[in-house]
Amino acid sequence: MLKFDVITVFPEYLAPLRLSLLGRAIEDGVLGLDVHDLRDFAHDKHQTVDDAPYGGGPGMVMKPEPWGEALDQLLTPESVLIIPTPSGRPFTQAQAQEYSAMPHLVFACGRYEGIDSRVASHYSSKVRVDEVSLGDYVLAGGEVAVLTIVEAVARLVPGVLGNEVSVQDDSFAQGAMENLVEGPVFTRPPVWRELEVPEILTSGDHAKIAAWRHLQAMQKTAINRPDLADS
Ligand code: 6GU
């Protein structure tokens, strides 16, 4: 069973993880999810989790002590500590695939200007610590990144999607779809507002359909993702 633990100052932000596909998987015991309020690990009167940055500058930095208390409690030697941050390594489908086979993922959601760097340094000698970014833009905190990463990982865990659904044809999937995005899809009716479904899809020739889909994927990748098409 893959267990997710999320530490955040906004636990309600993670509520959508209990909806739909993931909610069902959690109910069925295929996945585990616990969300923890960082302020529960801050023991001063105001449950302070942030302070001014050393060296000056705008904004606030998350204090290390509450993180230390929370992470000491949650991490085991088998855990991976994931810290979402725009300064991290880009998150990829290959990484989602790798995480989906792990027993325990712990997410540390930073807010403000981020978490005191000594937290990552300290735990790097105890567990694998991954700083992960969703892309080249800045979010207000790690919570939305965690929603994204957990969903991308969870749907790859056997038993989370219906086993009738294959993830092999997904955009970016290792194998035939590596460095490709999926091409267009169609359903009934055969004509909609004078637009027809490509004839080959109703031909019943599965080899030809597979070849056509591969060509469509390459064309779409060239148009929308020239960065991938070159690789
Ligand atoms: Cl993972 N976190 C934040 N706060 N901003 C981001 C991001 C992550 N990825 C892109 N921007």
Side-chain angles (χ1 to χ4, degrees):
M1 201 252 274
L2 170 49
K3 170 78 192 297
F4 298 102
D5 278 291
V6 184
I7 311 163
T8 169
V9 288
F10 294 119
E12 319 82 64
Y13 234 114
L14 284 304
L17 291 179
R18 303 201 184 271
L19 297 174
S20 183
L21 214 73
L22 271 67
R24 166 77 63 85
I26 293 163
E27 273 180 29
D28 292 349
V30 179
L31 298 174
L33 171 68
D34 279 315
V35 179
H36 310 267
D37 189 337
L38 182 67
R39 289 193 197 278
D40 293 343
F41 302 92
H43 303 302
D44 64 303
K45 190 170 132 206
H46 295 105
Q47 296 185 289
T48 311
V49 295
D50 61 346
D51 202 344
Y54 272 120
M60 299 290 267
V61 173
M62 294 190 107
K63 297 166 62 60
E65 301 98 317
W67 286 109
E69 288 221 18
L71 292 168
D72 282 350
Q73 214 168 97
L74 291 172
L75 292 173
T76 75
E78 284 70 48
S79 311
V80 176
L81 174 58
I82 301 171
I83 305 178
T85 166
S87 61
R89 294 213 173 119
F91 182 62
T92 62
Q93 187 67 14
Q95 206 173 356
Q97 195 70 247
E98 187 190 3
Y99 288 157
S100 71
M102 290 179 166
H104 190 207
L105 302 176
V106 178
F107 294 88
C109 294
R111 280 263 144 186
Y112 323 112
E113 297 301 309
I115 303 170
D116 187 304
S117 281
R118 290 170 294 182
V119 173
S121 306
H122 173 77
Y123 289 102
S124 292
S125 63
K126 306 185 182 304
V127 299
R128 173 168 159 191
V129 178
D130 289 356
E131 292 186 316
V132 173
S133 167
L134 292 192
D136 297 343
Y137 41 81
V138 178
L139 304 172
E143 286 78 9
V144 168
V146 171
L147 293 176
T148 304
I149 296 165
V150 169
E151 184 161 311
V153 172
R155 65 184 287 284
L156 298 175
V157 173
V160 173
L161 293 183
N163 50 5
E164 76 279 6
V165 183
S166 169
V167 296
Q168 244 138 255
D169 302 331
D170 288 345
S171 297
F172 317 114
Q174 278 147 309
M177 289 302 289
E178 224 163 300
N179 299 314
L180 286 177
V181 299
E182 252 189 284
V185 296
F186 301 89
T187 186
R188 286 176 286 190
V191 183
W192 179 75
R193 300 192 181 181
E194 300 181 344
L195 296 169
E196 290 177 16
V197 169
E199 208 178 313
I200 191 161
L201 295 177
T202 56
S203 70
D205 186 335
H206 298 294
K208 267 196 178 158
I209 290 170
W212 180 86
R213 283 184 170 151
H214 186 70
L215 182 65
Q216 294 294 313
M218 290 198 294
Q219 289 175 350
K220 187 141 194 174
T221 303
I223 291 164
N224 285 354
R225 295 298 303 273
D227 56 316
L228 292 181
D230 294 341
S231 62

